[in-house]
Amino acid sequence: MKFLAIPAALLLVAGCASEPAIQEGPDAEVTYDGLHRIDNSAFEYAYIDPDADWARYDKILPGGADFRFRAVKKTSGTTLSRTTTSEFYVDEKNRARLEEEVSKVFAEELGQSERFSVTEGPGPDVLIVRGGLTDVVSRVPPEYAGRSEVFLTSVGEATLVLEIVDSMSGEVLFRAADRRAADRMGGGMTPVRSTPPTNWSEVRRLARRWASRLREGLDSLPSS
């Protein structure tokens, strides 16, 4: 297998001590739609069109987001008190809030791009940025009588899926997936008291980490 070096400016896929490199040659990992695996990416999995001309684009169009939750059985407080369950059902109210919080953070970050302006329609110079969270898991038990305090090291986990698409042809130019836990500040293993404000703060912090990485990468794409 041989590798095609990526210019240092392409921070869209950078993030490790070693420079990212696109796999090339007969042993390269290539997706069904022709994207090549990137080694040393900022995301756990990342694939790119090695022939993409990024300089032709200067606008981005948010393409919506999809949120999918792990199928977890809804249990009662009495049942929870007798088990060691670590995955909990997310009700409709909290599902809606998660979508709102994550979408807001990504919109804020993309709106701060210095390389791209946000537009409302497709065009030859427009990239669609779409994504979502899949296999969302909550580690936060629902409130119920008899449990006054809960201490957690993580409020949940999710897999981020991103795609960057040419808005005219629909061709996918970049795809990434990255699974992370919404760990407590500093990533320590010492449990911290769980409260709604601190839990949502951790969710926003993880979303900001992903969104800022995406924005910084977009801003670093070559413009000429």
Side-chain angles (χ1 to χ4, degrees), residues 92-102 196 200 204:
E92 293 303 319
K93 178 181 177 180
N94 284 308
R95 290 186 184 204
R97 181 165 181 183
L98 177 66
E99 295 182 21
E100 178 184 357
E101 296 280 3
V102 173
W200 285 112
R204 288 190 293 270

Side-chain angles (χ1 to χ4, degrees), residues 8 10-11 13 30 40 48 53 58 66 68 70 88 91 98 109 115 123 129 179 190 195 208 213 217-218:
L10 288 183
L11 296 181
V13 295
V30 181
N40 303 319
I48 198 169
D53 179 13
D58 60 10
D66 182 36
R68 301 188 181 188
R70 183 177 294 180
F88 301 99
D91 61 27
L98 177 66
E109 287 292 332
R115 164 77 169 78
V129 179
R179 186 160 188 83
T190 302
T195 67
R208 185 75 62 184
R213 185 169 292 179
L218 288 167

Side-chain angles (χ1 to χ4, degrees), residues 104-184:
K104 180 180 179 181
V105 168
F106 271 82
E108 289 173 351
E109 287 292 332
L110 291 178
Q112 295 174 14
S113 174
E114 298 178 356
R115 164 77 169 78
F116 292 88
S117 60
V118 179
T119 188
E120 296 182 353
D125 56 352
V126 177
L127 290 169
I128 296 175
V129 179
R130 65 192 184 199
L133 297 181
T134 187
D135 194 26
V136 179
V137 178
S138 172
R139 304 295 184 193
V140 182
E143 297 180 9
Y144 62 93
R147 180 174 227 149
S148 58
E149 290 188 329
V150 176
F151 290 83
L152 302 171
T153 57
S154 169
V155 301
E157 301 174 12
T159 298
L160 173 74
V161 179
L162 286 173
E163 286 189 336
I164 297 178
V165 181
D166 179 279
S167 68
M168 300 300 288
S169 68
E171 179 186 2
V172 178
L173 304 178
F174 176 81
R175 182 181 295 120
D178 192 66
R179 186 160 188 83
R180 301 276 177 182
D183 295 323
R184 294 306 186 187

